[in-house]
Amino acid sequence: MRFSFIFSTLCTVTWSASVITNKQVIDTSKAEFETTLNEADFESNLHQRYDLHTLGIKVKDDPTIGNYSEGDILLESPKKFVEENNKLGRNAIRQMYRRWPNGEIPYTLSSQYGSYARGVIANAMNEYHTKTCVKFVARDPSKHHDYLWIHPDDGCYSLVGKTGGKQPVSLDSGCIQVGTIVHELMHAVGFFHEQSRQDRDSYIDVVWQNVMNGADDQFEKYNLNVISHLDEPYDYASIMHYGPYAFSGSGKKTLVPKKSGSERMGQRVKFSDVDVRKINKLYNCPSGGSSSNNNQINTNSIVNNSPPQV
Ligand SMILES: [Zn+2]
């Protein structure tokens, strides 16, 4: 069935346009240095998205479920994180210094990404550019000290918000899908997982007996004195919500929704409407989101906030 589908696809378009190689995803034999996307990457035609499995690439059902803290959130320092926990607002960061000034996120990416991966990453960034005022910009070393370094390290992971300096985002070959990348970039923009919200117990049951050994901490929620959900409702459809089988050790569900509207829980396809609204609120985007000249962010509050000493 799959073969016949692929075969018919190949017959209707030219061979060169319909086949990609592993090297067009990631070529680890190439020297690695920092580069940026170009116009052609942003304009690349991605109507044809490839099933990475056909290249022999292992892709998890949900690549954002990794081996890091909360799956795919990399902590710059667990000690620092714990100390900051009481100040962190789930599920969006509260500290102004963790927001990217003017919603501008400088980035570089690895030269090892091939043309296909570059197009998919550009496509994911375009989701932000068209729906929000967050803008990924090629890093200019003379201007940008803090920036994302997108490279194929090990699985898919990101830190949350701006952490300072050259900040890693890992997208290995199993992560080269638009929805997966949108999810990882949303961590970098400043969001945690949806089910970390303080009010999550009203919306989901965590079935602890089905959670794999050692993974209990993947389902933490945070009891905070002050929490901001950006005045948005709990969102089962968020691209930041775990799916029902996240970290299951038994093959049974670990997350059971308590209310209706959970059909898309765990989706890694695109932003939900609430995701878009939250990003636009966090960055004070003009209504409608997308804007090339966003002047409405109160940059004073960002500049005047400095990280705690730990
Ligand atoms: Zn995640």
Side-chain angles (χ1 to χ4, degrees):
M1 193 67 178
R2 172 168 286 181
F3 175 77
S4 62
F5 170 74
I6 293 169
F7 186 72
S8 63
T9 304
L10 295 179
C11 288
T12 53
V13 289
T14 64
W15 283 89
S16 60
S18 59
V19 176
I20 58 167
T21 63
N22 285 65
K23 289 193 173 182
Q24 284 172 277
V25 182
I26 291 170
D27 184 355
T28 50
S29 69
K30 279 176 76 173
E32 186 167 64
F33 53 87
E34 293 176 64
T35 182
T36 55
L37 297 170
N38 55 43
E39 224 163 275
D41 297 318
F42 281 99
E43 287 169 2
S44 61
N45 182 345
L46 285 174
H47 294 307
Q48 174 91 51
R49 289 187 187 165
Y50 292 91
D51 181 351
L52 297 170
H53 291 100
T54 61
L55 294 175
I57 294 171
K58 281 188 191 163
V59 185
K60 295 181 184 175
D61 288 341
D62 179 359
T64 68
I65 298 290
N67 304 317
Y68 303 92
S69 169
E70 284 200 27
D72 60 340
I73 295 178
L74 185 69
L75 303 181
E76 64 265 52
S77 153
K79 179 171 172 281
K80 181 179 172 192
F81 189 79
V82 168
E83 287 176 0
E84 284 193 1
N85 254 346
N86 288 331
K87 300 172 199 151
L88 282 171
R90 299 270 165 154
N91 63 346
I93 47 168
R94 289 191 70 83
Q95 304 104 316
M96 291 297 105
Y97 66 84
R98 278 197 183 237
R99 278 198 331 191
W100 297 87
N102 300 313
E104 250 188 34
I105 307 184
Y107 75 91
T108 61
L109 83 166
S110 169
S111 54
Q112 293 184 338
Y113 288 118
S115 56
Y116 180 70
R118 291 169 65 95
V120 177
I121 294 168
N123 221 236
M125 288 182 178
N126 261 338
E127 290 295 296
Y128 287 85
H129 297 168
T130 54
K131 295 179 177 129
T132 77
C133 65
V134 167
K135 181 104 182 118
F136 292 91
V137 298
R139 183 203 180 209
D140 175 348
S142 68
K143 279 203 308 202
H144 302 129
H145 175 260
D146 302 325
Y147 67 104
L148 301 182
W149 160 230
I150 302 169
H151 65 299
D153 178 19
D154 182 16
C156 325
Y157 66 74
S158 175
L159 295 121
V160 174
K162 175 171 75 66
T163 60
K166 183 180 179 179
Q167 174 178 334
V169 173
S170 173
L171 299 174
D172 74 12
S173 55
C175 316
I176 305 302
Q177 304 177 112
V178 172
T180 302
I181 299 170
V182 167
H183 175 104
E184 295 305 335
L185 292 179
M186 196 161 159
H187 283 311
V189 165
F191 287 86
F192 295 88
H193 292 128
E194 183 70 3
Q195 76 284 341
S196 301
R197 280 173 60 126
Q198 196 180 37
D199 58 353
R200 70 104 183 274
D201 290 337
S202 303
Y203 297 89
I204 50 164
D205 277 324
V206 178
V207 189
W208 294 104
Q209 66 264 33
N210 294 341
V211 175
M212 65 175 67
N213 280 344
D216 289 11
D217 60 353
Q218 307 286 0
F219 294 90
E220 269 185 65
K221 65 172 177 157
Y222 294 85
N223 293 311
L224 306 170
N225 296 328
V226 182
I227 185 165
S228 170
H229 296 146
L230 298 166
D231 293 323
E232 289 291 342
Y234 192 90
D235 183 19
Y236 290 119
S238 170
I239 201 164
M240 305 309 281
H241 203 301
Y242 279 175
Y245 297 95
F247 298 99
S248 175
S250 61
K252 294 179 183 166
K253 287 184 179 176
T254 52
L255 287 180
V256 177
K258 291 173 139 172
K259 301 195 177 184
S260 59
S262 64
E263 297 76 16
R264 291 169 63 207
M265 192 173 95
Q267 63 90 10
R268 294 290 179 267
V269 179
K270 59 179 185 177
F271 289 130
S272 68
D273 292 344
V274 177
D275 288 333
V276 172
R277 285 207 302 268
K278 284 197 294 200
I279 295 168
N280 285 328
K281 282 184 179 178
L282 188 64
Y283 282 91
N284 294 332
C285 296
S287 60
S290 177
S291 170
S292 55
N293 60 345
N294 168 23
N295 298 318
Q296 301 195 12
I297 288 182
N298 178 0
T299 48
N300 288 336
S301 61
I302 296 167
V303 172
N304 292 340
N305 272 271
S306 49
Q309 300 300 308
V310 289

